[in-house]
Amino acid sequence: MTIKVAIAGARGKMGIEAVHTVIKREGMELVAILDYKQVGQTLADLDIFPENYKVPIYTDFCALVEETKPDVLVDLTNPHAVYEHTKQALVHNVRPVIGTTGFTDEQLVELKELAASKKMGCIIAPNFAIGAILMMKFAREAAKYLPNVEIIEMHHDNKLDAPSGTGLKTAQMIAEVRDPKGQGHPNEKEMMQGARGAEFEGMHIHSVRLPGLVAHQQVLFGGEGQLLTIRHDSFNRESFMSGVTFCIERVLDMEDLVYGLENII
Ligand code: NAP
C-alpha cells in the first residue's frame, strides 16, 4: 500500500527536508501541501524545490482532503497554526503526525479525547531524533539516583517557543520518577529576573537561542562530588527524518493520540 501524505509547513527548514524525504521514500506519495498563503500552484513554482515537484499547494484544508485524500498530515509549522491543523485533520479522518512544538496542556487533552473518540492514530513528537529520545529515557533513569537536575536546551534563534518541547518533555519524564523538590538554596533570590530559568516541579530549564545552533540539549545531574551530563546534538535536520517516516508508517496502525516518540519505539 502507498501511504498518501500531505505536509503543512513545506517552505520551512524542517518542511523542506520532509518534502524531499517523503518524495524519495518508497511506499509513500506526497499528494498535497497545506499553506496559509497562496505561494504557487505546486511546489515546482517555488525556487526552493526542483521543477519536477508538481505537488499541489492548498490553502483550504477541506479542498485538500476532498481532492487528494491523504492518509496522513505531517505538520511542521508553528505553535499558532498547529492546534487547528491537528484538530481539522482528525475531524477529516486524516491521521496527524505532528513535529511542531508549543501545544498547551488543555489542547493536548482535547486532541487526545478527539482522537480516542474517532479511534484515529495521532502522533505528536516534540523530537523526531532517536538520539534525543534516548537522552530523555536515560535522563529519566538517572533521576532515580541523582534527583538534582537542571536542563539546558539550545536552539537556533528563529525558534518561537521556549522552553523547547524536548526540554519540557524531558522534565515531565523525569517528574514521573522524581518527587517534586526545590533545588538550589531555599533562600536564593534572583537578582535579575529569569536568572534561574523556567521551573517545572523544582527543576530549572534554561533556554539558549543562538544563530548557528540547530537543536541541542544537556541534562545535568549533580551529586556529592560528581556531575553526570547527558547531552544530545542534532547538527542538521536530516537527523529528524527517520523519525518522521517511522511515524507516518506507525500512525496508520494506531487508534489514539501518543505524545512523544519514546512511547512507541
Ligand atoms: P520554520 O523554518 O519557521 O518553518 C515553519 C514554516 O511553516 C514556515 O515556512 C511558515 O511560513 C509555515 N507556516 C506558518 N504558518 C503556517 C500555516 N498556518 N500553514 C502552513 N504553513 C505555515 O520552522 P522549522 O525550523 O522548520 O520548525 C517548524 C516546527 O517544527 C517548529 O515548531 C519547531 O519547533 C519544530 N521542530 C520539531 C522538531 C522535531 O523533531 N519534532 C525538530 C525541529 C523543529 P512563513 O515563514 O511564510 O510564515
Side-chain angles (χ1 to χ4, degrees), residues 8-73:
R11 291 177 293 107
K13 292 180 285 296
M14 283 287 284
I16 291 172
E17 203 64 48
V19 165
H20 293 307
T21 300
V22 172
I23 282 187
K24 284 183 201 147
R25 178 85 176 186
E26 219 170 285
M28 290 182 194
E29 183 188 357
L30 183 59
V31 294
I33 301 299
L34 180 64
D35 211 311
Y36 70 105
K37 52 191 179 193
Q38 201 56 62
V39 290
Q41 296 299 311
T42 74
L43 285 181
D45 296 335
L46 309 182
D47 293 344
I48 46 177
F49 292 111
E51 282 176 7
N52 60 341
Y53 281 23
K54 302 277 186 208
V55 184
I57 301 171
Y58 292 83
T59 51
D60 177 355
F61 190 61
C62 295
L64 182 156
V65 171
E66 213 163 281
E67 289 171 29
T68 67
K69 302 192 171 35
D71 301 302
V72 176
L73 172 73

Side-chain angles (χ1 to χ4, degrees), residues 11-14 36-37 77 81 99-101 125-128 159 240:
R11 291 177 293 107
K13 292 180 285 296
M14 283 287 284
Y36 70 105
K37 52 191 179 193
T77 60
T100 309
T101 52
N127 203 314
F128 284 121
K159 186 166 178 58
F240 303 115

Side-chain angles (χ1 to χ4, degrees), residues 15 32 46 66 76 89 91 103 163 168 174 188 195 200 241 259 263:
L46 309 182
E66 213 163 281
L76 298 160
V91 166
F103 285 95
L168 185 57
I174 290 173
E188 76 180 8
F200 181 83
M241 292 303 133
Y259 177 61
N263 296 307

Side-chain angles (χ1 to χ4, degrees), residues 205-217:
I205 310 177
H206 310 269
S207 298
V208 177
R209 297 289 176 266
L210 286 172
L213 295 175
V214 177
H216 317 259
Q217 181 168 293

